[in-house]
Amino acid sequence: MRIQRLAVASFVLAFVSSVDAAAQKAGTTELGVFGQFTRADEAWHTDDGFGFGGRLGVFLNRRWELEGAFSTSSFDNKAPRPVGSSSVQTFNGQINFNLPFGLGGQTHDLILEGGVGGQRFASHTDFSAPYGGGLRIHFNNAVALRLDAIVEYVENPTAATFGFPPVIGVNSAAARSTNFEVRAGLSFLLGNSKAAPPPAPAPPPPQRQAPPPRTEPPAPPMRVAPAPGPNTDSINAVNRAREALLASVYFDFDHSELRDDQRAVLDAKLPVLRANPGVRIRIEGNADERGSDEYNLALGMRRAQATRKYLIDNGIDAGRIDVASNGEERPVCQGHDEDCWKQNRRDEFVIVAGGDRLIAPR
């Protein structure tokens, strides 16, 4: 009973402390192998055992996974059993609920598990119901370390001896037993990697041009006094104002809160917007490639809305600012590492109206 309460408390802690982040996409297949330690129920009259097993799972969506598992373990007998060992095979089907969280540039999962199955011990098979929790720690999109703690509840009143003693009723506790299993192994996630973008097409070969016809050298041009032009300093000031207005804002992984260093980028936009009341802009939120399309669209929108709120809180009319989200669909860097991902976690700014009449703030 103490083990059961500990398992339930672990589930609650896992649920409360999880962070909403990216996860596997629908159709991803998890193929895994694991080693197993089992603490057997006292009614079995065996020592704790060790074994191994395998699992096969399919993700229905980014949260839910159907999984089948098989394991076999060996136990040394304890008195009054005869000297020797006993083995048990466990097979079950279960459903897993994944709670993703970000850590170290990767997305990992807390897992809540429950299902039904059977255990074969001492030449008979009994109904079992596994429930527990685990961790899936990703090394990359395709390989992860899987850790599980399972409480295996086994019940079969018609086999209330678990092979010892031979008389039903003498070992009545064996009709309902609870085993505790700890598993550790590797999982291989098939179909979870994103395809690399296709290479850019090769430029067309240069065309051979005919040599120009020979002509007499042109007469030297007549010297003409230059006409008065626009003020170069004024043009440069307008260009700087436009650059400040279009400068991107960047975010940390799986966050939509503004970083302190990026607030300075937004502060530089405020005088430009105040000097140009006819200018309207659109803020487009973007995310890196990790996570599902739906999650990244929502994350991009939260980033755009956070930036919009900062501008409004600093006196810019809300009617001049639109927001949109591109999710992960418009990366500025095509690589698959942190150097590229940090460039793609951004808000971009588009001048919707008034850009042709932009003036520099005084």
Side-chain angles (χ1 to χ4, degrees), residues 63 67 152:
R63 295 288 191 186
E67 182 176 272
E152 194 86 37

Side-chain angles (χ1 to χ4, degrees), residues 8-297:
V8 172
S10 299
F11 300 162
V12 173
L13 179 61
F15 186 84
V16 171
S17 62
S18 66
V19 179
D20 194 13
Q24 282 65 242
K25 59 186 178 182
T28 298
T29 300
E30 180 176 12
L31 182 64
V33 293
F34 56 83
Q36 177 172 291
F37 165 80
T38 302
R39 171 163 287 183
D41 193 288
E42 290 294 331
W44 288 30
H45 298 296
T46 65
D47 286 327
D48 299 334
F50 295 88
F52 61 91
R55 60 169 56 92
L56 177 65
V58 177
F59 284 83
L60 304 179
N61 55 39
R62 58 191 299 266
R63 295 288 191 186
W64 295 98
E65 177 191 19
L66 290 179
E67 182 176 272
F70 171 82
S71 66
T72 181
S73 297
S74 179
F75 304 85
D76 291 333
N77 294 336
K78 294 194 302 187
R81 284 185 179 275
V83 176
S85 62
S86 302
S87 65
V88 60
Q89 291 77 43
T90 304
F91 45 91
N92 54 56
Q94 63 188 45
I95 187 164
N96 300 337
F97 182 69
N98 295 277
L99 296 164
F101 64 96
L103 182 66
Q106 290 289 340
T107 300
H108 314 287
D109 300 287
L110 290 166
I111 311 170
L112 305 183
E113 311 173 30
V116 294
Q119 278 197 342
R120 182 167 181 80
F121 182 81
S123 301
H124 61 85
T125 302
D126 301 307
F127 170 80
S128 68
Y131 57 94
L135 274 174
R136 188 184 294 108
I137 302 173
H138 289 259
F139 301 123
N140 52 45
N141 283 342
V143 182
L145 173 65
R146 175 81 177 263
L147 305 173
D148 300 270
I150 306 294
V151 175
E152 194 86 37
Y153 174 76
V154 186
E155 178 170 1
N156 191 342
T158 64
T161 68
F162 277 95
F164 187 87
V167 179
I168 294 178
V170 179
N171 188 10
S172 59
R176 296 177 178 84
S177 64
T178 303
N179 305 323
F180 181 65
E181 301 169 352
V182 176
R183 299 171 178 173
L186 290 177
S187 285
F188 302 92
L189 299 161
L190 311 179
N192 194 40
S193 299
K194 294 178 180 273
Q207 297 182 354
R208 179 175 297 176
Q209 297 181 349
R214 297 181 62 181
T215 59
E216 294 297 327
M222 297 179 60
R223 187 179 298 273
V224 179
N231 188 317
T232 303
D233 292 338
S234 176
I235 293 176
N236 291 338
V238 170
N239 289 338
R240 288 194 297 269
R242 188 181 302 275
E243 290 173 0
L245 192 57
L246 297 179
S248 296
V249 173
Y250 296 93
F251 294 84
D252 289 331
F253 171 66
D254 196 42
H255 281 73
S256 57
E257 298 84 5
L258 290 172
R259 293 177 357 206
D260 290 340
D261 62 322
Q262 298 303 299
R263 295 176 188 269
V265 178
L266 292 177
D267 289 340
K269 302 177 187 294
L270 296 174
V272 181
L273 290 169
R274 291 167 184 154
N276 296 271
V279 166
R280 291 183 57 237
I281 61 172
R282 180 173 66 250
I283 306 172
E284 298 182 351
N286 296 268
D288 64 37
E289 64 181 346
R290 292 170 292 178
S292 67
D293 295 342
E294 296 84 358
Y295 182 82
N296 285 336
L297 279 171

Side-chain angles (χ1 to χ4, degrees), residues 275-344:
N276 296 271
V279 166
R280 291 183 57 237
I281 61 172
R282 180 173 66 250
I283 306 172
E284 298 182 351
N286 296 268
D288 64 37
E289 64 181 346
R290 292 170 292 178
S292 67
D293 295 342
E294 296 84 358
Y295 182 82
N296 285 336
L297 279 171
L299 178 59
M301 182 58 72
R302 292 198 300 273
R303 287 170 172 168
Q305 289 171 340
T307 300
R308 180 176 186 266
K309 182 178 183 302
Y310 184 88
L311 297 177
I312 294 172
D313 290 346
N314 282 274
I316 305 304
D317 183 6
R320 299 172 59 192
I321 309 172
D322 300 329
V323 292
S325 175
N326 299 322
E328 62 186 79
E329 297 302 321
R330 295 187 182 177
V332 294
C333 183
Q334 301 292 339
H336 304 283
D337 53 33
E338 181 59 28
D339 286 340
C340 268
W341 292 334
K342 67 183 180 183
Q343 298 179 52
N344 294 333

